[in-house]
Amino acid sequence: MFLTRLAFKNLTRHRNRTVITSIIIAFAVLTYILYDSLIGGMSEMSYATILDYEAGHLQVVTDAYWQAEKEEKELPLEHLLMLDDELDREIQGVEGFVAAAPELHFFARLSNGLDELPVLAKGIDPEAMRGVFALEKQFVEGSMFALDEAKAVMGKRLADLMELTVGDYITLLVKDKAGHFNTIEAEIAGLVHTSNPNVNQNIIYLPLPLVAQRLNVGGGVSKVMIRLENKETAPKRAAELAGRIKKIDGRLAVYPWQELEAVTFIGAAELEKRVIFAIILLIGAIAIINTVILAALERMGEIGMMKALGLQNKEVVFTFVLESTGIGILGGVAGIMMGMTGVGLLAKYGVDFGGMVGLDITTFGMPIIGKIYGVWNPAAFVRVFLFVVLTSLLASILPAYWAADKDPVKTIYHR
């Protein structure tokens, strides 16, 4: 108990050093908590924008199409699937099924009569799409077309770039399944603006029958997008559905949203978070080591007296380690308190990087626009606190042994 009381007394004896070191640790903890909150918010928003506007929870495709799209960045019309009644029944029989929508993807060159621009076009069934994606509520002008109309919907940014508006006519230059050039002409029915920049500036939606006719693919579609009640069950449902539809067509496969390339890229942010965590631990360790060395240099005579009175090296070390751990606890608690306040503000008000410094985070691969909101992650609070305390303890051991190993006679007369 004497050593414990001595260690805590030393915290108040050298108040300024204790406060300064605790503040350094507190700001390191705060930095990690805020970074974790923002990364978590960016990830959640990125997942939402991809799933709600492009990917769905499950995708039924042929293996050949999936590999060509993923590895070769192609949309091959020769590897389409046929959505017949039998396949449709199996899809709708998936546990947790909400809706399914067929899509026919192809690359095209968009022309307004003066300029051309490469785009990704999608033939869709607007009624089916409404159940899978949230596009219907994002119209800023016009509305969705009917299945039998020769009309199109595109992002407002793309329309502004091409100086187009609702009611204008566009021409898409395409290659059909046989490799022959063809055109698709359509009137713009509506313009959308979503939280997904890819939808806003790269994609054009067209009626599926019109697209199928001009591409000469019959009843083939690129993918069937499926929405589930719970997106976290997607891997399990994908495996179950794949087992059943293989009996219908051995070329078919089912992929959950977790296997999408864009989602994999977002997951790379977790690696960045670990790097930040390591930097924080290094900052904390340097601060603790510096504190212990300074304390040892100031208290050389005191250490000599303690050893002369019979204290062993390990007892002297225990005193320093306990003092350092106390500083880590103080800094950790202060950082947690500040972190709770910071995350609360981020979750409520968010951060608009574009408005603050003109930074467009889409240039860094994040598929979101607008404000970034923080999220609460209690595990991050617990994790960073425990690691800071543990780092404070471990970082003080070697300097403490260095101080305790001094000759007591020399340390008593140390000046």
Side-chain angles (χ1 to χ4, degrees), residues 317-389:
V317 170
F318 175 79
T319 304
F320 279 98
V321 169
L322 195 58
E323 180 182 345
S324 301
T325 303
I327 294 174
I329 292 173
L330 290 174
V333 170
I336 292 296
M337 298 300 293
M338 291 190 297
M340 291 176 67
T341 302
V343 172
L345 293 174
L346 285 177
K348 184 176 182 179
Y349 299 107
V351 178
D352 186 356
F353 289 104
M356 290 171 57
V357 293
L359 177 65
D360 184 2
I361 64 172
T362 61
T363 60
F364 295 94
M366 286 296 176
I368 49 178
I369 56 177
K371 281 189 174 182
I372 305 297
Y373 290 89
V375 295
W376 287 96
N377 182 12
F381 287 77
V382 176
R383 182 168 57 245
V384 72
F385 178 77
L386 292 178
F387 271 94
V388 161
V389 173

Side-chain angles (χ1 to χ4, degrees), residues 2-21:
F2 167 74
L3 295 177
T4 302
R5 289 196 302 270
L6 180 61
F8 284 107
K9 183 180 179 180
N10 287 334
L11 289 175
T12 57
R13 281 174 58 192
H14 305 279
R15 189 173 302 161
N16 290 341
R17 187 167 60 238
T18 298
V19 170
I20 292 173
T21 307

Side-chain angles (χ1 to χ4, degrees), residues 17-29:
R17 187 167 60 238
T18 298
V19 170
I20 292 173
T21 307
S22 297
I23 289 174
I24 293 172
I25 294 173
F27 274 98
V29 170

Side-chain angles (χ1 to χ4, degrees), residues 142-364:
S143 60
M144 180 58 75
F145 48 75
L147 188 62
D148 58 352
E149 293 181 316
K151 294 187 176 183
V153 166
M154 68 174 65
K156 183 70 164 59
R157 286 191 176 183
L158 177 58
D160 290 343
L161 181 63
M162 297 295 289
E163 298 181 347
L164 296 168
T165 187
V166 172
D168 290 343
Y169 284 84
I170 59 172
T171 301
L172 294 176
L173 178 63
V174 301
K175 272 189 177 183
D176 64 16
K177 188 176 180 178
H180 302 141
F181 284 102
N182 203 345
T183 60
I184 301 176
E185 296 182 353
E187 178 187 356
I188 299 177
L191 304 177
V192 296
H193 184 74
T194 74
S195 59
N196 188 317
N198 192 41
V199 172
N200 297 340
Q201 58 199 31
N202 294 322
I203 298 178
I204 295 180
Y205 300 94
L206 298 153
L208 182 57
L210 173 65
V211 171
Q213 178 189 25
R214 297 302 171 86
L215 296 182
N216 193 27
V217 296
V221 297
S222 304
K223 303 178 179 181
V224 179
M225 308 297 200
I226 302 173
R227 190 169 192 86
L228 303 174
E229 293 176 354
N230 182 359
K231 71 177 187 295
E232 302 304 328
T233 64
K236 183 177 180 181
R237 303 297 169 240
E240 294 171 352
L241 179 59
R244 296 198 300 270
I245 65 175
K246 283 285 187 181
K247 300 175 183 178
I248 301 174
D249 186 342
R251 302 176 305 140
L252 296 179
V254 185
Y255 293 94
W257 63 271
Q258 290 91 337
E259 295 189 27
L260 299 177
E261 184 176 357
V263 171
T264 303
F265 176 82
I266 296 169
E270 292 297 320
L271 178 59
E272 296 179 10
K273 192 161 65 175
R274 294 191 186 98
V275 173
I276 295 294
F277 193 67
I279 294 173
I280 288 172
L281 294 182
L282 179 61
I283 292 172
I286 292 172
I288 290 295
I289 291 171
N290 181 64
T291 298
V292 173
I293 292 175
L294 288 176
L297 290 173
E298 290 178 357
R299 301 206 297 267
M300 282 295 186
E302 181 182 319
I303 294 171
M305 290 295 296
M306 292 168 63
K307 295 184 68 176
L309 290 172
L311 267 68
Q312 300 178 14
N313 282 1
K314 63 180 181 181
E315 293 173 311
V316 177
V317 170
F318 175 79
T319 304
F320 279 98
V321 169
L322 195 58
E323 180 182 345
S324 301
T325 303
I327 294 174
I329 292 173
L330 290 174
V333 170
I336 292 296
M337 298 300 293
M338 291 190 297
M340 291 176 67
T341 302
V343 172
L345 293 174
L346 285 177
K348 184 176 182 179
Y349 299 107
V351 178
D352 186 356
F353 289 104
M356 290 171 57
V357 293
L359 177 65
D360 184 2
I361 64 172
T362 61
T363 60
F364 295 94

